[in-house]
Amino acid sequence: ILSFIAVAYVLLMNMLVGVLVEVVQAIAVIEKEGIAVLSLATDLRSIMLLNSINLETGLNKECIEDLVGQAEFAAVVESAGADVHTVTDMLHSMFEDQSDEDGKISIEDFVEAILNLRGANPVKVKDVKSQLRAIKVAVKEAEVAMRGALFDEMNDIRAALHHHMMQAAERDDDDNQTVTDCSVAAVSEGESSHF
């Protein structure tokens, strides 16, 4: 019985140590994430203030497009674990999902969007839906552009065909006029030879 109590005591202590290690690991991950968020937000705010961007009114799409081209912004985004090209590609989606009635997003929403674009994040259903929405928007824009180009080309072809038909009709009229003139001349010559 004494050996049973000793084994139970050791197993219980190992379980408690395992739980304690898991709790410490979870806290470390949360703290590390908090530090990353704070660091990214602070760095983005300083870049935006250097560019004279008013953070109180929100960020518009043009403002962020200007920032994306800057090396400092790229370095901050890369240090957060996100890709600048992905941020650029997803700007439309960010503003579609999170913008207010003025077409602006808050700095907090922008930081969250960048953190969601990190490569280390596991893929979620929300991400797949967002990607599908972005693909649908791109396909729709391409379809509208292709229809417009096709419509313009068809109008050009229609105008060119109409122009050629008018030229052909003028040639036919000229040929008919020439035939008529030749016929009248031949008839006139025939009548003058009878006299």
Side-chain angles (χ1 to χ4, degrees):
I1 287 186
L2 192 56
S3 62
F4 177 73
I5 292 174
V7 169
Y9 176 75
V10 170
L11 287 175
L12 187 61
M13 288 302 292
N14 284 337
M15 282 191 336
L16 288 176
V17 168
V19 169
L20 184 62
V21 167
E22 289 294 321
V23 168
V24 169
Q25 262 184 333
I27 291 172
V29 167
I30 291 170
E31 288 296 319
K32 187 176 178 183
E33 181 71 14
I35 291 170
V37 169
L38 183 63
S39 173
L40 177 63
T42 304
D43 292 345
L44 284 177
R45 283 180 193 273
S46 65
I47 289 173
M48 290 176 187
L49 290 174
L50 286 174
N51 287 294
S52 302
I53 297 171
N54 186 359
L55 299 176
E56 300 301 320
T57 60
L59 307 170
N60 60 19
K61 191 172 182 181
E62 293 79 23
C63 167
I64 294 177
E65 286 173 345
D66 291 341
L67 284 177
V68 168
Q70 296 181 7
E72 297 88 12
F73 178 82
V76 167
V77 170
E78 292 286 335
S79 70
D83 183 34
V84 178
H85 301 293
T86 306
V87 172
T88 305
D89 292 341
M90 297 303 289
L91 276 180
H92 180 76
S93 176
M94 283 182 208
F95 279 91
E96 184 179 286
D97 294 342
Q98 299 171 344
S99 65
D100 58 9
E101 58 274 351
D102 295 332
K104 295 183 176 185
I105 62 173
S106 66
I107 183 73
E108 293 82 11
D109 290 339
F110 186 57
V111 168
E112 182 181 344
I114 290 175
L115 291 172
N116 287 338
L117 294 175
R118 291 182 293 185
N121 291 349
V123 178
K124 300 175 185 165
V125 173
K126 178 181 93 171
D127 300 328
V128 174
K129 285 183 177 181
S130 174
Q131 190 66 30
L132 284 175
R133 191 171 344 131
I135 290 170
K136 284 181 182 178
V137 167
V139 167
K140 188 69 170 174
E141 288 173 354
E143 179 185 0
V144 168
M146 287 175 56
R147 282 185 186 207
L150 183 62
F151 183 74
D152 291 343
E153 287 185 29
M154 290 300 288
N155 282 338
D156 292 345
I157 291 170
R158 188 175 293 128
L161 185 59
H162 179 71
H163 177 72
H164 288 302
M165 288 175 57
M166 295 302 289
Q167 285 181 341
E170 288 175 7
R171 279 195 303 261
D172 286 346
D173 287 345
D174 289 345
D175 289 345
N176 288 340
Q177 185 64 33
T178 305
V179 169
T180 305
D181 291 343
C182 290
S183 299
V184 170
V187 170
S188 297
E189 286 180 13
E191 289 177 0
S192 60
S193 63
H194 285 283
F195 290 120

mmCIF file of all heavy atoms in Angstrom, residues 9-25:
data_model
loop_
_atom_site.group_PDB
_atom_site.id
_atom_site.type_symbol
_atom_site.label_atom_id
_atom_site.label_comp_id
_atom_site.label_asym_id
_atom_site.label_seq_id
_atom_site.Cartn_x
_atom_site.Cartn_y
_atom_site.Cartn_z
ATOM 1 N N TYR A 9 1.500 9.607 -5.617
ATOM 2 C CA TYR A 9 2.045 10.914 -5.285
ATOM 3 C C TYR A 9 2.942 11.414 -6.420
ATOM 4 O O TYR A 9 2.852 12.574 -6.836
ATOM 5 C CB TYR A 9 2.821 10.819 -3.968
ATOM 6 C CG TYR A 9 3.510 12.102 -3.580
ATOM 7 C CD1 TYR A 9 2.779 13.176 -3.079
ATOM 8 C CD2 TYR A 9 4.889 12.238 -3.727
ATOM 9 C CE1 TYR A 9 3.409 14.344 -2.732
ATOM 10 C CE2 TYR A 9 5.523 13.414 -3.385
ATOM 11 C CZ TYR A 9 4.786 14.476 -2.891
ATOM 12 O OH TYR A 9 5.413 15.643 -2.556
ATOM 13 N N VAL A 10 3.808 10.580 -6.960
ATOM 14 C CA VAL A 10 4.709 10.969 -8.058
ATOM 15 C C VAL A 10 3.906 11.305 -9.314
ATOM 16 O O VAL A 10 4.171 12.301 -9.997
ATOM 17 C CB VAL A 10 5.741 9.845 -8.325
ATOM 18 C CG1 VAL A 10 6.520 10.108 -9.609
ATOM 19 C CG2 VAL A 10 6.685 9.702 -7.152
ATOM 20 N N LEU A 11 2.901 10.478 -9.636
ATOM 21 C CA LEU A 11 2.063 10.752 -10.815
ATOM 22 C C LEU A 11 1.308 12.073 -10.665
ATOM 23 O O LEU A 11 1.216 12.853 -11.612
ATOM 24 C CB LEU A 11 1.085 9.604 -11.047
ATOM 25 C CG LEU A 11 1.669 8.309 -11.605
ATOM 26 C CD1 LEU A 11 0.594 7.229 -11.675
ATOM 27 C CD2 LEU A 11 2.266 8.542 -12.977
ATOM 28 N N LEU A 12 0.777 12.313 -9.506
ATOM 29 C CA LEU A 12 0.032 13.550 -9.264
ATOM 30 C C LEU A 12 0.954 14.760 -9.373
ATOM 31 O O LEU A 12 0.582 15.777 -9.970
ATOM 32 C CB LEU A 12 -0.624 13.490 -7.887
ATOM 33 C CG LEU A 12 -1.561 14.643 -7.557
ATOM 34 C CD1 LEU A 12 -2.712 14.702 -8.539
ATOM 35 C CD2 LEU A 12 -2.093 14.490 -6.145
ATOM 36 N N MET A 13 2.152 14.650 -8.829
ATOM 37 C CA MET A 13 3.110 15.755 -8.924
ATOM 38 C C MET A 13 3.510 16.010 -10.381
ATOM 39 O O MET A 13 3.620 17.159 -10.807
ATOM 40 C CB MET A 13 4.353 15.453 -8.078
ATOM 41 C CG MET A 13 4.108 15.538 -6.589
ATOM 42 S SD MET A 13 3.498 17.152 -6.088
ATOM 43 C CE MET A 13 4.905 18.161 -6.384
ATOM 44 N N ASN A 14 3.716 14.959 -11.157
ATOM 45 C CA ASN A 14 4.069 15.113 -12.573
ATOM 46 C C ASN A 14 2.923 15.773 -13.359
ATOM 47 O O ASN A 14 3.161 16.605 -14.243
ATOM 48 C CB ASN A 14 4.440 13.772 -13.190
ATOM 49 C CG ASN A 14 5.826 13.324 -12.781
ATOM 50 O OD1 ASN A 14 6.667 14.147 -12.415
ATOM 51 N ND2 ASN A 14 6.067 12.023 -12.824
ATOM 52 N N MET A 15 1.688 15.386 -13.032
ATOM 53 C CA MET A 15 0.547 16.010 -13.703
ATOM 54 C C MET A 15 0.471 17.486 -13.359
ATOM 55 O O MET A 15 0.228 18.333 -14.232
ATOM 56 C CB MET A 15 -0.760 15.314 -13.304
ATOM 57 C CG MET A 15 -0.969 14.006 -14.026
ATOM 58 S SD MET A 15 -2.605 13.268 -13.866
ATOM 59 C CE MET A 15 -3.268 13.903 -12.399
ATOM 60 N N LEU A 16 0.677 17.832 -12.107
ATOM 61 C CA LEU A 16 0.636 19.228 -11.699
ATOM 62 C C LEU A 16 1.764 20.035 -12.351
ATOM 63 O O LEU A 16 1.558 21.172 -12.769
ATOM 64 C CB LEU A 16 0.705 19.343 -10.182
ATOM 65 C CG LEU A 16 -0.555 18.900 -9.424
ATOM 66 C CD1 LEU A 16 -0.324 18.958 -7.926
ATOM 67 C CD2 LEU A 16 -1.737 19.762 -9.818
ATOM 68 N N VAL A 17 2.947 19.427 -12.431
ATOM 69 C CA VAL A 17 4.065 20.102 -13.109
ATOM 70 C C VAL A 17 3.739 20.300 -14.580
ATOM 71 O O VAL A 17 3.988 21.381 -15.157
ATOM 72 C CB VAL A 17 5.380 19.309 -12.921
ATOM 73 C CG1 VAL A 17 6.464 19.828 -13.850
ATOM 74 C CG2 VAL A 17 5.828 19.373 -11.483
ATOM 75 N N GLY A 18 3.133 19.308 -15.239
ATOM 76 C CA GLY A 18 2.737 19.423 -16.644
ATOM 77 C C GLY A 18 1.712 20.524 -16.865
ATOM 78 O O GLY A 18 1.812 21.316 -17.808
ATOM 79 N N VAL A 19 0.732 20.602 -15.979
ATOM 80 C CA VAL A 19 -0.281 21.665 -16.074
ATOM 81 C C VAL A 19 0.368 23.018 -15.873
ATOM 82 O O VAL A 19 0.065 23.990 -16.599
ATOM 83 C CB VAL A 19 -1.419 21.416 -15.054
ATOM 84 C CG1 VAL A 19 -2.322 22.622 -14.939
ATOM 85 C CG2 VAL A 19 -2.212 20.184 -15.432
ATOM 86 N N LEU A 20 1.254 23.097 -14.907
ATOM 87 C CA LEU A 20 1.934 24.361 -14.631
ATOM 88 C C LEU A 20 2.770 24.803 -15.841
ATOM 89 O O LEU A 20 2.761 25.978 -16.209
ATOM 90 C CB LEU A 20 2.809 24.213 -13.383
ATOM 91 C CG LEU A 20 3.512 25.477 -12.904
ATOM 92 C CD1 LEU A 20 2.486 26.522 -12.516
ATOM 93 C CD2 LEU A 20 4.420 25.170 -11.733
ATOM 94 N N VAL A 21 3.458 23.878 -16.475
ATOM 95 C CA VAL A 21 4.261 24.202 -17.664
ATOM 96 C C VAL A 21 3.354 24.686 -18.797
ATOM 97 O O VAL A 21 3.675 25.665 -19.489
ATOM 98 C CB VAL A 21 5.110 22.981 -18.093
ATOM 99 C CG1 VAL A 21 5.694 23.186 -19.476
ATOM 100 C CG2 VAL A 21 6.208 22.724 -17.083
ATOM 101 N N GLU A 22 2.223 24.030 -18.999
ATOM 102 C CA GLU A 22 1.281 24.444 -20.039
ATOM 103 C C GLU A 22 0.742 25.851 -19.775
ATOM 104 O O GLU A 22 0.615 26.660 -20.690
ATOM 105 C CB GLU A 22 0.123 23.455 -20.149
ATOM 106 C CG GLU A 22 0.495 22.123 -20.745
ATOM 107 C CD GLU A 22 0.907 22.231 -22.201
ATOM 108 O OE1 GLU A 22 0.289 23.020 -22.952
ATOM 109 O OE2 GLU A 22 1.857 21.533 -22.586
ATOM 110 N N VAL A 23 0.429 26.144 -18.537
ATOM 111 C CA VAL A 23 -0.072 27.477 -18.181
ATOM 112 C C VAL A 23 0.992 28.532 -18.434
ATOM 113 O O VAL A 23 0.722 29.595 -19.002
ATOM 114 C CB VAL A 23 -0.557 27.508 -16.715
ATOM 115 C CG1 VAL A 23 -0.811 28.926 -16.240
ATOM 116 C CG2 VAL A 23 -1.805 26.660 -16.548
ATOM 117 N N VAL A 24 2.220 28.251 -18.045
ATOM 118 C CA VAL A 24 3.316 29.198 -18.257
ATOM 119 C C VAL A 24 3.552 29.400 -19.747
ATOM 120 O O VAL A 24 3.769 30.536 -20.198
ATOM 121 C CB VAL A 24 4.600 28.724 -17.533
ATOM 122 C CG1 VAL A 24 5.801 29.540 -17.956
ATOM 123 C CG2 VAL A 24 4.402 28.792 -16.032
ATOM 124 N N GLN A 25 3.481 28.331 -20.539
ATOM 125 C CA GLN A 25 3.638 28.445 -21.993
ATOM 126 C C GLN A 25 2.532 29.303 -22.595
ATOM 127 O O GLN A 25 2.791 30.155 -23.457
ATOM 128 C CB GLN A 25 3.614 27.061 -22.650
ATOM 129 C CG GLN A 25 4.962 26.501 -22.946
ATOM 130 C CD GLN A 25 4.842 25.168 -23.682
ATOM 131 O OE1 GLN A 25 3.867 24.445 -23.540
ATOM 132 N NE2 GLN A 25 5.854 24.858 -24.451
#
